[in-house]
């Protein structure tokens, strides 16, 4: 081969390399554009550009990350079913264990957010039982704790967080919420003494009113029997006293449930607005 | 010779990268992508992409798809704006016209007045007859006999259509005034008239009980207790009259709601009698 031929061949190779790089650039550019939109929190446009890339791109390089970020964009827009769909595609296109773990964890977080916590627990169990993720147990416990929070099971949430660290901030928070909650069954039992259940839940006015009604109808019932007006006594006792007595029990249970809802909502508000750690 | 072979061997490598160098935003690719989004059911993005196409890439198919997309998104007014842009000589004109009728019905449920029926083929005409007939149900009164009303519909639709017709002709409303009057005469009977038998019997028993207790206590000179029971009796008596009137109003609102809900569900299930457009084969 003459030196001129060699130079020509070299030039040809250089030209091919240049065009190859350029081709790679156009998909890179598209990916970077979509990623930039995602970073700027322009989720609608980010999804459009990721979808455009995925539609025209046949290779595997961008498939995982594009689907993952599309899923996260949908998640940020609270379109959870689409989010799960794309996160599942991300998991299917993952190239290593870390990518599988990240994608599945994101699916779990979406399930926590949309309160399909049974599905979240199933996926957490699958991660925990998978020997590839033995070194990720703390992270699995952390999200299990969050799944328990969204299932309104604060005791188990606390146990999950304390499995990571004895005095984990969220473990203490969950413990304090669990300790603060009223027991609706206890409220009902206490109400066998009219008003006591209401006093237990801090509803003092309602407790006093409940005592008043029960004293009034109780007095009229007993008085009727003492004066031998048996029919009066039976009717007042069965239709009025009993009505107010059973109402007092139901009322106490209702207060306990309402107060618990207030307390858990307040804890969730704190977690949403003030907690600095990772959130679903 | 060897050099020539090397060059021939390298030619595919030089062609491939040129093909891979990709213009995502050429009109053809935007249209391909928009079609893909449309078939995926991502109508909002599909419409956005069709909107990016310049005039020479837009045709009546894209216009109709945008109209269909907006309608699927529930943006009926925007959907009908595209109808105005579709030429009456277009292949999609008749379909677009039927779709505009559906949009109108969803924007404001009212009687559809006939127009533009000349261009419809037999299937479209059948759709048109059904949608206009069903729109009569949104009028205050039906001025059509039962047989004529159900005749445009298929056999499997007729039972449902006939039941809508029957409700419209005789809605079986309960009179609030009658319910109140009945309860004033016999406590609880107004509730029974509305169909709330349990509440009616309870009201009768409780009011009678208080009346008896009041009478019995007046009779035995326990005036304080007698006045308490009289007050409670009067409270339950008037409360029952008010409750009976309210129950009749709630009953009427409920059956009206169920009628509208059932009609909307029926129309949704039958796609407002429009043909199914499949652009994704």
């Amino acid at each position: 081969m003459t030196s001129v031929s060699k130079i020509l061949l070299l030039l040809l190779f250089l030209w091919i390399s240049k065009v190859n790089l350029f081709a790679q650039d156009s998909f890179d550019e598209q990916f970077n554009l979509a990623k930039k939109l995602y970073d700027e929190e322009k989720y609608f446009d980010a999804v459009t550009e990721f979808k455009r890339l995925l539609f025209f791109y046949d290779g595997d390089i961008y498939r995982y990350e594009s689907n993952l970020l599309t899923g996260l964009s949908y998640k940020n827009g609270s379109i959870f079913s689409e989010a799960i769909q794309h996160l599942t595609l991300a998991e299917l296109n993952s190239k290593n264990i870390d990518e599988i773990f990240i994608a599945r964890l994101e699916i779990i977080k979406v399930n926590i957010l949309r309160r399909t916590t049974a599905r979240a627990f199933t996926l957490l169990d699958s991660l925990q039982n998978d020997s590839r993720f033995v070194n990720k147990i703390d992270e699995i416990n952390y999200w299990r704790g969050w799944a328990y929070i969204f299932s309104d099971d604060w005791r188990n949430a606390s146990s999950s967080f304390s499995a990571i660290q004895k005095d984990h901030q969220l473990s203490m928070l969950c413990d304090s919420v669990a300790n603060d909650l009223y027991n609706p069954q206890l409220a009902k039992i206490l109400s066998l003494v009219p008003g006591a259940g209401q006093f237990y839940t801090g509803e003092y006015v309602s407790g006093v009113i409940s005592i008043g009604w029960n004293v009034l109808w109780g007095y009229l019932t007993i008085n009727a029997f003492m004066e031998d007006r048996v029919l009066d006594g039976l009717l007042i006792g069965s239709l009025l006293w009993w009505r107010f007595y059973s109402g007092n029990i139901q009322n106490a249970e209702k207060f306990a449930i309402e107060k618990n809802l207030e307390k858990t909502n307040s804890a969730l508000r704190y977690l949403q607005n003030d907690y600095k750690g990772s959130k679903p | 010779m060897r050099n020539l072979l090397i060059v021939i061997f390298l030619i595919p490598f030089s062609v491939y990268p040129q093909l891979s160098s990709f213009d995502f935003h050429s009109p053809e690719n935007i249209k391909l992508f928009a079609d893909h989004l449309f078939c995926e059911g991502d109508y909002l993005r599909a419409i956005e992409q069709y909107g990016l196409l310049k005039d020479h890439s837009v045709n009546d198919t894209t216009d109709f798809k945008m109209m269909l997309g907006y309608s699927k998104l529930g943006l009926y007014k925007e959907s009908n704006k595209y109808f105005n842009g579709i030429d009456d000589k277009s292949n999609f004109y008749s379909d677009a016209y039927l779709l505009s009728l559906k949009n109108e019905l969803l924007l404001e449920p009212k009687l559809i007045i006939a127009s533009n029926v000349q261009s419809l083929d037999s299937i479209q005409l059948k759709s048109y007859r059904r949608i206009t007939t069903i729109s009569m149900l949104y009028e205050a009164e039906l001025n059509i006999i039962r047989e004529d009303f159900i005749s445009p519909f298929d056999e499997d639709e007729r039972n449902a259509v006939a039941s809508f017709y029957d409700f419209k002709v005789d809605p079986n409303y309960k009179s609030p005034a009658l319910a109140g009057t009945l309860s004033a005469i016999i406590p609880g009977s107004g509730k029974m008239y509305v169909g709330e038998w349990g509440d009616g019997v309870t009201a009768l028993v409780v009011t009678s009980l208080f009346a008896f207790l009041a009478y019995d206590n007046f009779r035995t000179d326990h005036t304080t207790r007698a006045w308490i029971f009289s007050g409670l009796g009067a409270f339950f008596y008037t409360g029952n009259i008010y409750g009976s009137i309210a129950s009749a109003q709630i009953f009427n609102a409920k059956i009206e709601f169920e009628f509208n809900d059932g009609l909307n569900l029926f129309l949704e299930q039958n796609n407002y009698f429009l043909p199914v457009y499949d652009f994704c084969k």
Side-chain angles (χ1 to χ4, degrees), chain B residues 49-110:
Chain B
Q49 294 303 309
Y50 285 130
L52 292 175
L53 292 170
K54 298 282 180 276
D55 288 346
H56 64 273
S57 310
V58 178
N59 54 33
D60 55 353
T61 313
T62 52
D63 273 343
F64 183 62
K65 278 181 164 180
M66 286 174 94
M67 186 181 174
L68 199 56
Y70 271 123
S71 185
K72 295 251 186 202
L73 289 168
L75 301 166
Y76 307 115
K77 207 177 250 179
E78 281 74 7
S79 178
N80 272 0
K81 278 181 195 163
Y82 279 87
F83 173 58
N84 300 327
I86 295 176
D87 193 273
D88 59 1
K89 291 180 188 69
S90 159
N91 286 338
F92 287 103
Y93 181 77
S94 301
D95 286 318
Y97 173 62
L98 289 174
L99 182 59
S100 75
L101 295 183
K102 171 191 170 181
N103 291 337
E104 271 177 34
L105 209 57
L106 283 159
L107 274 170
E108 191 187 352
K110 62 177 184 187

XYZ file of all heavy atoms in Angstrom, chain B residues 49-110:
508
model
N -48.154 17.983 19.643
C -47.240 17.682 18.541
C -47.889 17.986 17.195
O -47.238 18.554 16.322
C -46.824 16.204 18.593
C -46.001 15.853 19.816
C -44.732 16.685 19.948
O -43.952 16.790 19.006
N -44.534 17.310 21.097
N -49.176 17.645 17.031
C -49.858 17.993 15.770
C -49.842 19.508 15.580
O -49.696 20.006 14.474
C -51.310 17.497 15.769
C -51.465 16.017 15.559
C -52.258 15.248 16.421
C -50.842 15.365 14.501
C -52.413 13.883 16.236
C -50.993 13.995 14.318
C -51.772 13.261 15.188
O -51.922 11.903 14.998
N -49.959 20.211 16.685
C -49.954 21.677 16.631
C -48.623 22.238 16.170
O -48.562 23.366 15.672
N -47.549 21.459 16.308
C -46.227 21.931 15.885
C -46.028 21.810 14.371
O -45.104 22.400 13.813
C -45.123 21.117 16.578
C -44.970 21.292 18.085
C -43.926 20.317 18.610
C -44.577 22.717 18.427
N -46.885 21.010 13.742
C -46.733 20.796 12.300
C -47.059 22.072 11.537
O -48.022 22.766 11.863
C -47.655 19.664 11.837
C -47.300 18.268 12.343
C -48.422 17.293 12.008
C -45.994 17.789 11.744
N -46.241 22.347 10.563
C -46.513 23.538 9.738
C -47.661 23.238 8.767
O -48.039 22.077 8.573
C -45.250 23.911 8.956
C -44.072 24.273 9.851
C -44.215 25.673 10.405
C -43.054 26.036 11.283
N -43.188 25.577 12.674
N -48.161 24.281 8.141
C -49.365 24.162 7.311
C -49.302 23.026 6.287
O -50.267 22.293 6.111
C -49.629 25.475 6.567
C -50.119 26.523 7.555
O -50.481 26.117 8.683
O -50.118 27.707 7.214
N -48.110 22.873 5.628
C -48.052 21.891 4.549
C -48.132 20.456 5.064
O -48.402 19.542 4.312
C -46.787 22.086 3.703
C -45.518 21.844 4.465
N -44.901 22.834 5.200
C -44.782 20.734 4.626
C -43.815 22.323 5.763
N -43.712 21.056 5.441
N -47.896 20.247 6.372
C -47.962 18.879 6.910
C -49.323 18.574 7.522
O -49.603 17.444 7.887
C -46.905 18.687 7.991
O -45.673 19.107 7.527
N -50.148 19.602 7.636
C -51.456 19.406 8.268
C -52.470 19.008 7.202
O -52.474 19.567 6.109
C -51.925 20.702 8.970
C -53.303 20.512 9.571
C -50.938 21.107 10.027
N -53.290 18.033 7.491
C -54.359 17.659 6.564
C -55.630 17.388 7.358
O -55.646 17.574 8.582
C -53.944 16.448 5.727
C -53.499 15.291 6.608
O -54.024 15.119 7.705
N -52.528 14.529 6.138
N -56.677 16.967 6.660
C -57.948 16.776 7.361
C -57.868 15.638 8.391
O -58.585 15.633 9.380
C -59.101 16.553 6.369
C -58.834 15.405 5.408
O -57.708 14.873 5.430
O -59.745 15.048 4.647
N -56.949 14.666 8.168
C -56.797 13.572 9.146
C -56.255 14.122 10.460
O -56.767 13.786 11.531
C -55.833 12.489 8.599
O -56.196 12.181 7.278
C -55.882 11.243 9.452
N -55.222 14.962 10.376
C -54.658 15.520 11.611
C -55.680 16.428 12.301
O -55.800 16.413 13.528
C -53.354 16.299 11.356
O -53.581 17.245 10.338
C -52.219 15.381 10.974
N -56.423 17.185 11.493
C -57.457 18.055 12.089
C -58.506 17.218 12.825
O -58.911 17.543 13.944
C -58.155 18.884 11.000
C -57.405 20.171 10.718
O -56.571 20.546 11.570
O -57.630 20.769 9.660
N -58.929 16.129 12.168
C -59.951 15.290 12.793
C -59.394 14.599 14.047
O -60.092 14.473 15.056
C -60.470 14.247 11.797
C -61.572 13.394 12.362
C -62.775 13.966 12.771
C -61.416 12.030 12.527
C -63.788 13.194 13.328
C -62.420 11.250 13.067
C -63.611 11.836 13.464
N -58.115 14.190 13.970
C -57.506 13.563 15.142
C -57.421 14.556 16.309
O -57.629 14.187 17.469
C -56.106 13.059 14.802
C -56.090 11.716 14.108
C -54.655 11.335 13.847
C -54.506 9.884 13.526
N -53.108 9.547 13.269
N -57.118 15.801 15.989
C -57.064 16.815 17.055
C -58.447 17.028 17.642
O -58.622 17.149 18.862
C -56.490 18.125 16.522
C -54.985 18.044 16.313
S -54.319 19.488 15.528
C -53.817 20.443 16.929
N -59.444 17.043 16.761
C -60.836 17.196 17.227
C -61.212 16.030 18.135
O -61.770 16.214 19.227
C -61.754 17.253 16.006
C -63.182 17.555 16.330
S -64.203 17.571 14.859
C -65.811 17.780 15.630
N -60.847 14.825 17.689
C -61.142 13.611 18.466
C -60.377 13.622 19.792
O -60.927 13.280 20.846
C -60.737 12.394 17.627
C -61.323 11.038 17.975
C -62.830 11.074 17.964
C -60.834 9.987 16.982
N -59.118 14.044 19.729
C -58.271 14.093 20.929
C -58.845 15.029 21.981
O -58.962 14.671 23.162
N -59.224 16.235 21.544
C -59.818 17.197 22.488
C -61.109 16.640 23.094
O -61.374 16.806 24.281
C -60.113 18.522 21.778
C -58.951 19.487 21.800
C -58.406 19.996 20.628
C -58.391 19.917 23.006
C -57.336 20.886 20.645
C -57.331 20.808 23.038
C -56.806 21.285 21.856
O -55.759 22.160 21.898
N -61.903 15.964 22.238
C -63.156 15.396 22.743
C -62.872 14.312 23.783
O -63.531 14.249 24.820
C -63.960 14.822 21.579
O -65.208 14.370 22.031
N -61.854 13.481 23.512
C -61.490 12.420 24.476
C -61.016 13.025 25.788
O -61.176 12.430 26.850
C -60.375 11.553 23.907
C -60.776 10.775 22.674
C -60.907 9.307 22.970
C -61.169 8.515 21.709
N -61.779 7.247 21.952
N -60.401 14.199 25.717
C -59.911 14.860 26.932
C -61.020 15.600 27.672
O -60.792 16.171 28.733
C -58.797 15.855 26.582
C -57.465 15.242 26.138
C -56.563 16.311 25.553
C -56.766 14.557 27.308
N -62.197 15.626 27.067
C -63.322 16.322 27.707
C -63.328 17.816 27.413
O -64.072 18.571 28.034
N -62.479 18.238 26.454
C -62.441 19.668 26.092
C -63.294 19.850 24.825
O -62.782 19.983 23.707
C -60.993 20.110 25.859
C -60.073 19.923 27.066
C -58.607 20.047 26.679
C -60.415 20.950 28.155
N -64.612 19.828 25.048
C -65.548 19.749 23.922
C -65.599 21.041 23.094
O -65.759 21.003 21.884
C -66.949 19.368 24.432
C -66.907 18.117 25.270
C -67.219 18.149 26.621
C -66.519 16.900 24.718
C -67.149 17.005 27.402
C -66.446 15.752 25.485
C -66.756 15.811 26.827
O -66.674 14.680 27.595
N -65.441 22.161 23.779
C -65.483 23.436 23.059
C -64.304 23.526 22.097
O -64.462 23.887 20.932
C -65.443 24.586 24.086
C -66.110 25.845 23.605
C -66.089 26.894 24.671
C -67.456 27.156 25.234
N -67.468 28.158 26.283
N -63.106 23.180 22.614
C -61.904 23.212 21.779
C -62.046 22.227 20.618
O -61.627 22.502 19.501
C -60.664 22.845 22.601
C -60.119 23.957 23.468
C -60.978 24.198 24.685
O -61.925 23.402 24.922
O -60.753 25.178 25.405
N -62.669 21.071 20.935
C -62.862 20.047 19.912
C -63.705 20.604 18.761
O -63.351 20.450 17.590
C -63.548 18.839 20.537
O -63.793 17.860 19.577
N -64.777 21.290 19.112
C -65.669 21.797 18.070
C -65.055 22.936 17.254
O -65.481 23.181 16.130
C -67.004 22.229 18.685
C -67.969 21.061 18.752
O -67.632 19.950 18.343
N -69.156 21.284 19.277
N -64.047 23.593 17.821
C -63.364 24.642 17.038
C -62.708 24.023 15.801
O -62.637 24.643 14.754
C -62.289 25.316 17.893
C -62.813 26.393 18.813
C -61.681 27.009 19.587
C -62.240 27.802 20.763
N -61.206 28.083 21.765
N -62.224 22.766 15.952
C -61.570 22.113 14.813
C -62.577 21.682 13.761
O -62.244 21.554 12.595
C -60.735 20.920 15.294
C -59.410 21.398 15.808
C -59.271 21.799 17.133
C -58.322 21.539 14.963
C -58.081 22.293 17.606
C -57.116 22.037 15.421
C -57.000 22.412 16.751
O -55.825 22.912 17.200
N -63.831 21.469 14.178
C -64.863 21.094 13.210
C -65.040 22.216 12.181
O -65.188 21.959 10.989
C -66.176 20.788 13.926
C -67.327 20.558 12.991
C -67.272 19.558 12.034
C -68.457 21.361 13.050
C -68.319 19.357 11.158
C -69.507 21.162 12.171
C -69.442 20.164 11.224
N -64.981 23.446 12.671
C -65.156 24.579 11.758
C -64.056 24.631 10.692
O -64.251 25.183 9.612
C -65.158 25.896 12.550
C -66.287 25.908 13.565
O -67.347 25.333 13.330
N -66.055 26.535 14.723
N -62.890 24.037 11.018
C -61.776 24.079 10.065
C -61.791 22.919 9.078
O -60.984 22.894 8.150
N -62.692 21.967 9.264
C -62.710 20.807 8.347
C -63.629 21.103 7.163
O -64.802 21.455 7.348
C -63.160 19.529 9.095
C -62.103 19.178 10.161
C -63.327 18.364 8.127
C -62.459 18.000 11.033
N -63.036 20.965 5.988
C -63.766 21.295 4.764
C -64.936 20.338 4.548
O -64.820 19.135 4.839
C -62.795 21.184 3.580
C -63.363 21.797 2.340
O -64.094 21.063 1.612
O -63.119 22.985 2.110
N -66.066 20.855 4.023
C -67.231 19.972 3.865
C -67.052 18.958 2.737
O -67.885 18.078 2.553
C -68.524 20.785 3.707
C -68.480 21.716 2.522
O -67.445 21.703 1.823
O -69.454 22.443 2.295
N -65.943 19.083 1.981
C -65.662 18.063 0.943
C -64.715 16.991 1.476
O -64.424 16.013 0.794
C -65.042 18.733 -0.278
C -66.035 19.615 -1.024
C -65.392 20.267 -2.232
C -66.325 21.288 -2.843
N -66.507 22.475 -1.980
N -64.247 17.175 2.687
C -63.304 16.223 3.282
C -63.989 14.889 3.580
O -65.194 14.844 3.872
C -62.748 16.801 4.577
O -62.256 15.783 5.393
N -63.200 13.812 3.529
C -63.722 12.482 3.861
C -64.172 12.404 5.317
O -64.968 11.548 5.685
C -62.638 11.417 3.640
C -62.425 11.162 2.180
O -63.303 11.434 1.370
N -61.238 10.673 1.836
N -63.587 13.265 6.140
C -63.881 13.203 7.575
C -65.013 14.152 7.985
O -65.338 14.228 9.160
C -62.627 13.551 8.383
C -61.606 12.453 8.364
C -60.489 12.547 7.561
C -61.790 11.312 9.132
C -59.555 11.531 7.529
C -60.858 10.287 9.101
C -59.733 10.394 8.301
N -65.545 14.888 7.013
C -66.513 15.912 7.375
C -67.724 15.328 8.122
O -68.109 15.834 9.177
C -66.982 16.685 6.133
C -67.969 17.754 6.498
C -67.543 18.957 7.069
C -69.343 17.548 6.329
C -68.445 19.917 7.460
C -70.251 18.520 6.718
C -69.806 19.693 7.279
O -70.696 20.646 7.677
N -68.276 14.240 7.589
C -69.486 13.666 8.209
C -69.186 13.131 9.605
O -69.972 13.313 10.539
C -70.054 12.541 7.344
O -70.359 13.063 6.079
N -68.042 12.455 9.730
C -67.653 11.943 11.049
C -67.432 13.096 12.022
O -67.820 13.029 13.189
C -66.369 11.109 10.938
C -66.642 9.759 10.304
O -67.670 9.151 10.656
O -65.854 9.330 9.448
N -66.791 14.146 11.506
C -66.541 15.317 12.354
C -67.865 15.960 12.770
O -68.011 16.428 13.906
C -65.672 16.323 11.611
N -68.822 15.953 11.842
C -70.133 16.528 12.157
C -70.805 15.746 13.295
O -71.318 16.326 14.250
C -71.013 16.527 10.899
C -72.441 16.938 11.174
C -72.714 18.221 11.665
C -73.499 16.063 10.968
C -74.023 18.606 11.947
C -74.805 16.442 11.247
C -75.061 17.709 11.738
O -76.343 18.074 12.025
N -70.768 14.408 13.196
C -71.363 13.570 14.253
C -70.643 13.797 15.585
O -71.276 13.890 16.646
C -71.297 12.091 13.875
C -72.225 11.643 12.747
C -71.959 10.197 12.376
C -73.692 11.815 13.143
N -69.314 13.913 15.499
C -68.550 14.149 16.726
C -68.905 15.512 17.328
O -68.993 15.653 18.554
C -67.046 14.074 16.423
C -66.093 14.240 17.603
C -66.340 13.186 18.673
C -64.636 14.155 17.133
N -69.157 16.484 16.460
C -69.526 17.813 16.978
C -70.883 17.755 17.699
O -71.105 18.484 18.665
C -69.563 18.842 15.846
O -70.720 18.660 15.057
N -71.775 16.861 17.219
C -73.078 16.702 17.890
C -72.886 16.134 19.292
O -73.509 16.574 20.259
C -74.000 15.787 17.086
C -74.445 16.271 15.711
C -75.412 15.277 15.091
C -75.096 17.650 15.795
N -71.993 15.139 19.387
C -71.695 14.556 20.698
C -71.122 15.648 21.616
O -71.528 15.773 22.776
C -70.687 13.415 20.541
C -70.155 12.887 21.853
C -68.969 11.962 21.682
C -68.340 11.671 23.032
N -67.172 10.804 22.950
N -70.180 16.412 21.085
C -69.569 17.486 21.896
C -70.629 18.477 22.386
O -70.610 18.895 23.544
C -68.518 18.234 21.082
C -67.292 17.376 20.811
O -67.038 16.427 21.536
N -66.558 17.692 19.777
N -71.534 18.824 21.476
C -72.591 19.776 21.850
C -73.460 19.220 22.975
O -73.810 19.926 23.925
C -73.467 20.091 20.642
C -72.955 21.259 19.826
C -73.809 21.501 18.598
O -75.035 21.271 18.680
O -73.245 21.891 17.564
N -73.775 17.931 22.835
C -74.620 17.283 23.849
C -73.916 17.261 25.212
O -74.552 17.406 26.258
C -74.929 15.850 23.397
C -76.247 15.249 23.855
C -77.417 16.096 23.425
C -76.405 13.840 23.298
N -72.609 17.090 25.177
C -71.864 17.052 26.437
C -71.623 18.454 26.990
O -71.510 18.638 28.203
C -70.533 16.330 26.234
C -70.676 14.804 26.171
C -69.506 14.168 25.482
C -70.856 14.224 27.563
N -71.545 19.429 26.103
C -71.375 20.807 26.575
C -72.644 21.326 27.225
O -72.620 21.914 28.296
C -71.035 21.728 25.390
C -69.566 21.839 25.005
C -69.441 22.577 23.690
C -68.758 22.544 26.080
N -73.765 21.081 26.539
C -75.051 21.545 27.060
C -76.127 20.547 26.631
O -76.570 20.566 25.485
C -75.374 22.943 26.503
C -76.550 23.582 27.204
C -76.966 24.878 26.538
O -76.257 25.354 25.628
O -78.030 25.395 26.927
N -76.542 19.652 27.564
C -77.541 18.654 27.180
C -78.859 19.313 26.764
O -79.526 19.931 27.594
C -77.732 17.827 28.462
C -76.554 18.121 29.306
C -76.152 19.521 28.969
N -79.170 19.235 25.490
C -80.427 19.808 24.986
C -80.787 19.129 23.672
O -79.970 18.374 23.120
C -80.282 21.322 24.794
C -79.240 21.697 23.781
C -79.189 23.193 23.566
C -78.185 23.497 22.468
N -77.911 24.877 22.257
